[in-house]
Amino acid sequence: MDLVALLGREALDQLLANGKEQEPLKGSRAERDFHPVLKLFLPWTSGTWLLTEIDSDGLAFGLADLGFGTPELGYISLDEIWEVKGPGGLRVERNIHWKATKPLSEYAMESRQRGYIAA
């Protein structure tokens, strides 16, 4: 999988920078509540992800909604998402027009109340 092709160079750079900044802060009160950098989705399902960072192991962190009514925060394997194929060979896509307007915690709180990501 080509991360630059999927995420875009600017978004990938920001995700990596956020991950580097967050690494020493994990588990502390100083942990950052970043605005999501991008939105990924599966065009044939309600699968949606809002990502804030990528860690040194290549795992992304963000809010995931697989369409079961229980959006959750956690680590996401972009390789696993990329492996999912839909009708006609469709794969995960990036919403190039979406821009975050608030920190991830607010999207998570609203999503838990609604049962889905509304972004």
Side-chain angles (χ1 to χ4, degrees):
M1 173 186 53
D2 181 358
L3 282 178
V4 174
L6 175 61
L7 307 176
R9 170 52 59 194
E10 186 177 319
L12 179 57
D13 288 346
Q14 186 62 58
L15 289 166
L16 289 166
N18 289 356
K20 187 175 182 177
E21 181 179 340
Q22 191 78 287
E23 187 65 33
L25 305 175
K26 286 182 182 177
S28 75
R29 290 181 178 238
E31 196 167 347
R32 295 287 313 274
D33 185 13
F34 294 111
H35 279 58
V37 174
L38 58 81
K39 177 181 179 178
L40 297 177
F41 66 99
L42 297 174
W44 68 97
T45 74
S46 57
T48 305
W49 296 266
L50 304 181
L51 304 181
T52 58
E53 61 205 70
I54 294 179
D55 71 10
S56 57
D57 295 325
L59 289 176
F61 182 83
L63 181 63
D65 179 0
L66 301 179
F68 301 122
T70 56
E72 60 185 46
L73 293 169
Y75 286 93
I76 299 126
S77 167
L78 295 177
D79 286 332
E80 286 182 18
I81 295 172
W82 182 253
E83 292 299 318
V84 176
K85 289 185 184 176
L90 288 173
R91 291 185 185 260
V92 65
E93 294 184 20
R94 173 176 47 118
N95 183 332
I96 61 172
H97 301 289
W98 184 81
K99 299 283 185 216
T101 59
K102 52 195 159 203
L104 186 64
S105 63
E106 289 186 36
Y107 285 107
M109 181 182 63
E110 291 171 3
S111 296
R112 285 186 198 112
Q113 292 170 349
R114 287 188 175 105
Y116 61 92
I117 295 175

